[in-house]
Amino acid sequence: DKESVTCVTIFSEAYPSKLKDLELPPYSLFCKGDISLLKSKCFGIVGTRVPTAYGRTVTQNFAKGLAENGLTIVSGLAMGVDKIAHETTLDCGGKTIAVLGGGFNHIYPAMNENLAKRIVEKGLLVSEYRPSVRPTAYNFPVRNRIIAGLSDGILITEAGEKSGALHTNEYSLECGR
């Protein structure tokens, strides 16, 4: 309560029904910001941490166009495509959800702490991890299932052969997105 964190369980009215399409839906979500966004029409945008100029432009154009048409943009607060998607959405007055690979007390990468604060003010941070949990390499591919589960569609602007964005693609297909 003191840190303005809301816990939404799979039994809560606020829990997004779309997440139940996952083979292993998260039992609980820790949320910071506007939890009504969990029930909004969402579109995921993910991709490489090092996009080309083309990838940056595609990400900006899609994020802006989708957000201006009322969709909530979902991404993972990583560098590159994720960061561009969140920033572009906020800059055009849209709503965004950032799904984290750790708790709120350990924003990763640390250089996105200011972006996370902006998202809390105008959007939503979501994590299945308690606020004190540090991110680990294992958490990020697992986190991607939540991005896919919340989203009605996914755009992967650019991704390497071993990119985490491809995990998001697999989860999206699993959900029929």
Side-chain angles (χ1 to χ4, degrees):
D1 229 12
K2 177 173 53 175
E3 295 182 27
S4 301
V5 174
T6 302
C7 183
V8 176
T9 72
I10 199 165
F11 303 109
S12 301
E13 192 174 308
Y15 192 88
S17 60
K18 292 182 279 192
L19 278 182
K20 293 178 183 177
D21 292 340
L22 292 169
E23 187 175 313
L24 294 171
Y27 177 75
S28 60
L29 297 171
F30 294 91
C31 302
K32 205 167 188 176
D34 182 0
I35 65 168
S36 73
L37 295 178
L38 290 173
K39 300 266 184 154
S40 66
K41 188 113 173 118
C42 297
F43 198 91
I45 299 178
V46 295
T48 181
R49 290 184 191 98
V50 188
T52 63
Y54 171 79
R56 283 190 295 277
T57 300
V58 167
T59 302
Q60 289 167 332
N61 289 343
F62 271 91
K64 185 175 190 289
L66 292 166
E68 287 178 342
N69 282 284
L71 277 80
T72 299
I73 302 303
V74 181
S75 200
L77 198 68
M79 294 304 301
V81 168
D82 292 14
K83 182 177 182 176
I84 294 165
H86 291 306
E87 287 178 333
T88 301
T89 301
L90 291 170
D91 290 346
C92 75
K95 302 293 185 184
T96 189
I97 298 174
V99 184
L100 308 180
F104 302 131
N105 298 345
H106 303 283
I107 299 298
Y108 183 84
M111 61 182 29
N112 282 346
E113 283 186 30
N114 286 335
L115 177 55
K117 288 176 186 173
R118 283 184 68 199
I119 292 171
V120 169
E121 292 170 7
K122 301 285 184 180
L124 180 66
L125 293 181
V126 173
S127 179
E128 68 181 308
Y129 306 104
R130 292 179 325 278
S132 61
V133 173
R134 293 186 178 280
T136 66
Y138 169 80
N139 295 5
F140 292 96
V142 174
R143 170 254 350 236
N144 292 346
R145 84 188 195 291
I146 298 173
I147 295 171
L150 288 173
S151 302
D152 295 299
I154 297 285
L155 170 67
I156 301 173
T157 53
E158 289 180 311
E161 287 183 27
K162 296 185 180 190
S163 172
L166 299 181
H167 292 117
T168 309
N169 181 57
E170 291 300 316
Y171 291 124
S172 298
L173 294 172
E174 173 188 308
C175 296
R177 309 287 199 272

